[in-house]
Each structure stands twice: as C-alpha cells, then as structure tokens.
C-alpha cells in the first residue's frame, strides 16, 4: 500500500505541514498511524481527505467544511451530503437577491421589493427584515457613514427611508465583492446621483463571483464523493 510523508502531501496540495496537522487536530481526517519513532504515515485515504478539504474550502465557508468532514469521519455520510447540498440552496438565493436588487436599482419607481409595498419610513428592524440582514449590520453601516437614519419626532425611534433602504440592499449584495468602505461609499454616491454604470459593473462582478463559487462547490462535491467511496471500500 502506497504511503506518503507529511511533506509529500503538503507539497502536492501547496500547503504547510502545519496546516495538515491542524486538520488532523480538528478531527477532520481518519486516524493517522505512526511509525515506531512516532512519525506520521499517511495513506491514500488521508491524501483524499486532505484534497477534499482543500477543494471544499474554495467553495464553502470553513465551519461548513469542518462540520461535514467530521460527520464523514463518524460515518454520517448522508447527513454530510445534506449539509453540503443546503449550501447550493443558499447560493441560489444569493444569486436571486443580487439579480433582484440590480433590477431594483434600474427601476426608477422603487416602491416594492419582493412583492412587499414599502412604506416611506420604516424602523431599522423592518428594514433589516426586508434586506435579510441583522439590525447590528445596519447600525454598523450607519456608523461608517454608509447609510443614515432619521429620528421620529413622536417616539424618538430611528427610521429608515426608502432611499436609505435601497442603499442597505446594495451594501448587503456587494459586501462580499466590494471590500473597502470607501469604494462602497463611492458606489452609494453614484446611486444617489443615478449614475449606474459602476454599480452595474460591481453587480456583474458579484454575479461572476457567485458563478465561480458554484463551480468550486461542485468540484468540492466531486472530491467529497471520491472520499466517501474510498471510506466505504
């Protein structure tokens, strides 16, 4: 049976041996046998486990990958596959959201979103629910000067206008692809000025990134199925 040293696998996957040990310590791979001198002996199943982890991490968030790999180690194969499958649903929702908000931006009469008629002013909680974000996110964006709220003279509550809600929707769609606050501020200024070229370009990048992520997810699933097949032999 072919065996591998930590350095051989690390070189093959372009990672450090420390990374391999971390995956082992996190209980993500099958138990590793040792030599009498306590050196690790990796086998084909370990190589495939490491390959699966590295491929999955290109398309999925770290907690999801770690949870799925632990499930597989415990032979909960179906549960792991359902967990991974659920992420395809989430990325489809994200794609729809980006497309809907791009259409919304292009629509001069922004009075509805997701078939919900919008009020001229709404609470931060209502705005958060419509945008699908936490209220803490909106408060953070307000602190950063990206959005503004107005105080209700009658009850003192902070209220969000439709114009500010539109900004919140844009931020929530682009926060994974537009990394710098100043860049987002410029896009929001363009939104206020109804100058949509750069905004539409940013949304195109967001959609392209989602398509690339989906491709990586399927590549990860391919390696995952190879791994499960090896474990079942």
């Amino acid at each position: 049976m072919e065996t591998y040293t930590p350095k051989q696998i690390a070189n093959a996957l372009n990672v450090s041996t420390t990374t391999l040990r971390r995956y082992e310590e996190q209980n993500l791979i099958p138990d590793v046998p040792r030599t009498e001198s306590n050196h690790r002996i990796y086998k084909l199943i370990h190589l495939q486990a490491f390959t699966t982890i590295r491929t999955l991490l290109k398309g999925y968030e770290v907690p999801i990958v770690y949870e799925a790999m632990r499930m597989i180690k415990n032979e909960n194969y179906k549960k792991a596959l359902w967990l991974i499958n659920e992420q395809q649903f989430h990325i489809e929702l994200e794609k729809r959201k980006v497309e809907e908000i791009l259409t919304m931006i292009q629509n001069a009469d922004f009075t509805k979103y997701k078939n919900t008629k919008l009020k001229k002013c709404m609470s931060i909680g209502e705005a958060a629910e419509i945008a699908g974000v936490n209220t803490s996110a909106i408060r953070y964006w307000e602190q950063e000067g990206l959005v503004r709220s107005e105080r209700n003279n009658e009850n003192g509550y902070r209220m969000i206008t439709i114009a500010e809600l539109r900004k919140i929707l844009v931020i929530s769609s682009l926060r994974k692809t537009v990394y710098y606050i100043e860049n987002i501020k410029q896009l929001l200024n363009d939104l206020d000025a109804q100058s949509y070229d750069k905004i539409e370009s940013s949304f195109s990048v967001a959609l392209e990134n989602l398509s690339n992520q989906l491709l990586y997810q399927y590549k990860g699933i391919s390696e995952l199925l190879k791994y499960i097949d090896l474990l079942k032999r």
Side-chain angles (χ1 to χ4, degrees):
M1 180 180 292
E2 189 171 2
T3 60
Y4 309 88
T5 66
K7 189 172 182 180
Q8 285 176 320
I9 292 184
N11 289 341
L13 298 178
N14 196 28
V15 297
S16 66
T17 54
T18 302
T19 298
L20 300 182
R21 287 197 298 272
R22 184 172 70 249
Y23 295 153
E24 184 180 346
E25 290 164 0
Q26 289 291 327
N27 204 30
L28 307 185
I29 66 170
D31 294 338
V32 181
R34 305 274 187 135
T35 65
E36 290 183 2
S37 55
N38 205 34
H39 292 131
R40 291 172 172 81
I41 304 174
Y42 289 135
K43 300 180 181 179
L44 178 62
I45 193 66
H46 301 107
L47 174 60
Q48 185 58 43
F50 287 129
T51 301
T52 301
I53 294 169
R54 296 304 298 176
T55 309
L56 285 172
L57 285 172
K58 293 179 180 179
Y60 300 90
E61 294 182 357
V62 172
I64 296 297
V65 175
Y66 280 27
E67 185 176 357
M69 292 301 291
R70 290 189 187 110
M71 287 176 179
I72 290 170
K73 183 175 181 181
N74 293 324
E75 299 184 0
N76 294 324
Y77 305 131
K78 291 181 180 178
K79 195 172 180 181
L81 289 173
W82 278 114
L83 174 65
I84 292 297
N85 180 73
E86 185 182 11
Q87 307 312 304
Q88 261 67 54
F89 172 70
H90 290 319
I91 198 172
E92 171 65 20
L93 289 182
E94 185 71 18
K95 177 175 176 287
R96 289 182 193 174
K97 180 178 180 181
V98 171
E99 290 173 336
E100 286 172 356
I101 294 173
L102 178 57
T103 300
M104 174 270 294
I105 290 170
Q106 296 165 334
N107 183 1
D109 182 25
F110 179 48
T111 56
K112 280 188 176 182
Y113 180 65
K114 290 183 180 281
N115 296 319
T116 300
K117 185 170 178 59
L118 302 176
K119 298 185 292 185
K120 289 184 178 180
C121 286
M122 62 208 81
S123 69
I124 288 181
E126 289 171 326
E129 184 174 355
I130 292 169
V133 299
N134 294 325
T135 55
S136 58
I138 295 178
R139 292 191 176 94
Y140 171 72
W141 297 333
E142 187 174 8
Q143 290 172 3
E144 293 295 328
L146 301 178
V147 297
R148 293 177 300 185
S149 63
E150 300 175 0
R151 290 284 181 184
N152 185 311
N153 292 331
E154 294 181 3
N155 55 32
Y157 291 157
R158 290 150 122 183
M159 305 300 289
I160 300 292
T161 64
I162 288 180
E164 296 304 305
L165 173 64
R166 191 159 70 158
K167 291 180 183 179
I168 291 168
L169 290 169
V170 169
I171 298 167
S172 69
S173 296
L174 299 181
R175 57 183 167 172
K176 293 181 180 179
T177 53
V178 180
Y179 301 107
Y180 301 107
I181 294 293
E182 290 305 317
N183 291 351
I184 293 180
K185 282 182 181 177
Q186 183 56 55
L187 289 175
L188 296 180
N189 289 337
D190 291 343
L191 181 64
D192 282 338
Q194 297 184 351
S195 177
Y196 299 140
D197 288 348
K198 289 182 180 178
I199 297 175
E200 290 178 1
S201 177
S202 295
F203 271 86
S204 295
V205 170
L207 289 170
E208 182 65 22
N209 286 349
L210 286 172
S211 294
N212 290 336
Q213 183 182 354
L214 181 65
L215 178 61
Y216 281 126
Q217 287 186 350
Y218 278 113
K219 287 180 178 179
I221 290 171
S222 175
E223 296 297 340
L224 187 67
L225 293 176
K226 291 178 190 176
Y227 178 44
I228 291 173
D229 185 55
L230 279 175
L231 285 169
K232 287 183 173 181
R233 288 181 189 176

